[in-house]
Amino acid sequence: MDHNNNLPTRAAYRRSLKHQKKHFYKRWWFWTLIVIIVLAGGGVAGMKMTATGPFAKTSHVSKPKKTTKKKKVVNKDGVTFAQYSGIYLNETSGTPIATVQRLLGKPSTTSTSNANNTKTEINTWNNVDNGELGSNLKVTFANGHAISKAISGMKVARSEKLGLDAYSSVQNGMEESTILNNVGKPNGYSESFNSDKTSKSFTYSSGVSGSTGANFVVNFTNGTVSGKSQTGMK
């Protein structure tokens, strides 16, 4: 038997190889794709390592600084009525002179006297908040403690003038709150302490019917009206 008849010729064998289907892993494009994927994966991994690794650049995000506005302290132009009211009067435990001067500042004028082993000193502050020209505060100290005080020249807006009818409505025994409600705020206050007795007075000098300088004063003893007087009212 001639076995050569069963074998293909070299040319026929080459032709048969061309017509055979190559496996996908033997194709050139398959390995090209693998290389691209590997390179791309390595790049991504490198980016992640750089972003999270020890050589990563740390970017500090600067937070905007909060600007805290300082509250402006509004300085009153002069002594206030609240400061006047805060001065406690007593022969032995009244507000000390050093405390009053620390709160109100250096007085405009001072005067001293000595009698019966008691040193008396009067301090005057000329500037009063919401005060008219010539307004002032006077505090009298005995042996360094406040025993009397007076504030004058305070501006008061009145809806109508105070006439003799307003003056006549003030009667002995009335309380301070009643006078304030019926007559209104005074332009001046004064108060003194002596032997467990508190004496006060309200002075009305603006919006008073009468001649120039017309005014009236209401006196209190231990919180109730004990007398009154008027000048130049009509």
Side-chain angles (χ1 to χ4, degrees):
M1 179 180 289
D2 187 3
H3 294 286
N4 290 333
N5 293 332
N6 296 326
L7 296 174
T9 63
R10 182 175 293 181
Y13 176 73
R14 286 179 178 177
R15 284 195 301 269
S16 66
L17 286 178
K18 288 182 180 181
H19 293 287
Q20 285 181 2
K21 217 174 199 179
K22 290 184 179 179
H23 294 287
F24 69 91
Y25 54 83
K26 291 183 178 181
R27 302 270 182 176
W28 65 267
W29 53 264
F30 171 76
W31 292 107
T32 304
L33 183 61
I34 292 298
V35 171
I36 293 174
I37 292 174
V38 169
L39 291 177
V44 173
M47 290 172 64
K48 289 182 179 179
M49 288 179 65
T50 303
T52 59
F55 302 103
K57 291 183 179 180
T58 55
S59 58
H60 297 282
V61 180
S62 58
K63 294 182 180 179
K65 293 182 180 179
K66 293 182 179 179
T67 54
T68 55
K69 291 184 179 180
K70 292 183 179 179
K71 293 182 179 179
K72 292 183 179 180
V73 179
V74 180
N75 295 321
K76 296 289 184 179
D77 184 18
V79 180
T80 65
F81 181 71
Q83 290 173 326
Y84 163 84
S85 302
I87 300 173
Y88 175 66
L89 306 178
N90 190 282
E91 293 171 345
T92 57
S93 59
T95 306
I97 185 171
T99 302
V100 177
Q101 290 182 352
R102 186 174 70 250
L103 294 175
L104 303 184
K106 184 179 179 180
S108 304
T109 60
T110 61
S111 63
T112 59
S113 62
N114 287 278
N116 300 323
N117 296 323
T118 301
K119 179 184 177 181
T120 303
E121 182 172 338
I122 301 174
N123 287 185
T124 304
W125 288 266
N126 289 334
N127 292 327
V128 174
D129 181 54
N130 191 38
E132 298 174 348
L133 184 65
S135 60
N136 61 52
L137 166 69
K138 289 185 178 181
V139 183
T140 302
F141 302 90
N143 292 330
H145 296 280
I147 58 170
S148 71
K149 59 183 179 178
I151 190 168
S152 63
M154 301 183 69
K155 294 179 182 178
V156 179
R158 306 192 190 283
S159 57
E160 57 183 18
K161 284 198 171 185
L162 300 174
L164 288 173
D165 54 343
Y167 176 76
S168 300
S169 68
V170 178
Q171 300 295 322
N172 286 347
M174 286 183 173
E175 296 183 352
E176 295 178 32
S177 57
T178 303
I179 303 302
L180 291 171
N181 289 332
N182 295 345
V183 183
K185 291 182 179 180
N187 302 95
Y189 301 76
S190 68
E191 184 177 346
S192 63
F193 176 88
N194 185 21
S195 301
D196 296 329
K197 182 178 71 173
T198 301
S199 300
K200 291 184 180 181
S201 66
F202 290 170
T203 300
Y204 294 85
S205 56
S206 70
V208 178
S209 296
S211 58
T212 302
N215 65 80
F216 68 93
V217 180
V218 181
N219 300 316
F220 301 88
T221 300
N222 292 334
T224 59
V225 176
S226 57
K228 63 181 180 179
S229 62
Q230 62 89 11
T231 302
M233 293 187 69
K234 293 180 182 179

